[in-house]
Amino acid sequence: MTDGAAIAGPDGALRCPWALSTEDYVAYHDEEWGRPVHGDDALFERLSLEAFQSGLSWITILRRRPGFRAAFADFRIGKVAAFTESDRARLLTDAGIIRNAAKIDATLSNARVLAEWAPGELDELIWSHAPEPGPAPRTLADVQAVTPESTALSKALKKRGLRFVGPTTAYALMQACGLVDDHLEACVARLA
């Protein structure tokens, strides 16, 4: 059992405790989580996956990520915005993704909204909410689920017509895309 501090993995490197529960998590933690992500399509993918994760474990989404990418045209905003009712029906029967109608509809709606934005506008909006770097969390108890910045980002996205973007989802997006670095103080990924 851990007190929420970084713990050693099989290779001896200290990592955030959540990262050691599966090999999939180790790779995601070490190579992707908390690394800066830019580009409208890349951010649309992360935003969509965080919305699909709502109420589920992240490992469920991570393991289905190839299926999500195939089903949603690699999250290219213009392509997803052009999806038809038959595409929606296809998505609702696709076992490679989470077949939740509300989340599918939100993803399609969000793509249609974003297709009207200028190139780079999503990237600019999201990154404009990056907080000033703070002290590194020492334990998982120091990591918040919602912050004033994630609440502001959620409000900004909702005001612009996006759905399934509550403050907790917005903060998970901020963590995943490197707007904040919530790797623990002793974590090898923070020190890299």
Side-chain angles (χ1 to χ4, degrees), residues 171-185:
Y171 193 70
L173 174 74
M174 295 170 83
Q175 291 174 305
C177 295
L179 280 76
V180 295
D181 184 354
D182 276 344
H183 287 286
L184 300 182
E185 182 179 57

Side-chain angles (χ1 to χ4, degrees), residues 4 48 72 76 98 100 105 107 160:
S48 299
F72 286 99
R76 290 182 302 242
I98 304 302
N100 178 297
D105 290 343
T107 302
R160 300 287 304 273

Side-chain angles (χ1 to χ4, degrees), residues 4-69:
I7 56 175
D11 61 359
L14 293 175
R15 289 184 178 82
C16 302
W18 64 264
L20 295 172
S21 61
T22 73
E23 287 183 28
D24 295 325
Y25 269 161
V26 173
Y28 176 71
H29 169 272
D30 288 1
E31 300 165 17
E32 190 171 348
W33 192 72
R35 304 282 188 253
V37 174
H38 286 280
D40 292 343
D41 290 343
L43 289 166
F44 172 59
E45 175 186 5
R46 301 322 191 285
L47 183 64
S48 299
L49 293 177
E50 293 297 345
F52 273 100
Q53 186 272 332
S54 182
L56 302 171
S57 69
W58 179 246
I59 196 67
T60 301
I61 304 304
L62 191 59
R63 288 182 175 156
R64 292 183 186 209
R65 195 175 191 183
F68 276 107
R69 286 176 170 165

Side-chain angles (χ1 to χ4, degrees), residues 32-161:
E32 190 171 348
W33 192 72
R35 304 282 188 253
V37 174
H38 286 280
D40 292 343
D41 290 343
L43 289 166
F44 172 59
E45 175 186 5
R46 301 322 191 285
L47 183 64
S48 299
L49 293 177
E50 293 297 345
F52 273 100
Q53 186 272 332
S54 182
L56 302 171
S57 69
W58 179 246
I59 196 67
T60 301
I61 304 304
L62 191 59
R63 288 182 175 156
R64 292 183 186 209
R65 195 175 191 183
F68 276 107
R69 286 176 170 165
F72 286 99
D74 288 322
F75 290 95
R76 290 182 302 242
I77 293 168
K79 292 210 177 251
V80 178
F83 277 17
T84 64
E85 188 57 36
S86 65
D87 289 309
R88 179 184 181 274
R90 170 185 54 82
L91 293 167
L92 287 169
T93 63
D94 188 336
I97 66 169
I98 304 302
R99 295 170 287 185
N100 178 297
K103 294 174 182 182
I104 289 169
D105 290 343
T107 302
L108 299 179
S109 173
N110 289 348
R112 291 179 187 120
V113 168
L114 293 171
E116 300 297 319
W117 292 19
E121 195 170 349
L122 177 62
D123 190 298
E124 184 178 327
L125 176 66
I126 288 174
W127 278 91
S128 73
H129 289 83
E132 289 296 320
R138 298 185 76 166
T139 70
L140 293 178
D142 298 330
V143 178
Q144 304 173 62
V146 174
T147 64
E149 294 86 1
S150 74
T151 300
L153 175 58
S154 171
K155 287 179 182 179
L157 292 168
K158 287 178 182 179
K159 183 177 180 182
R160 300 287 304 273

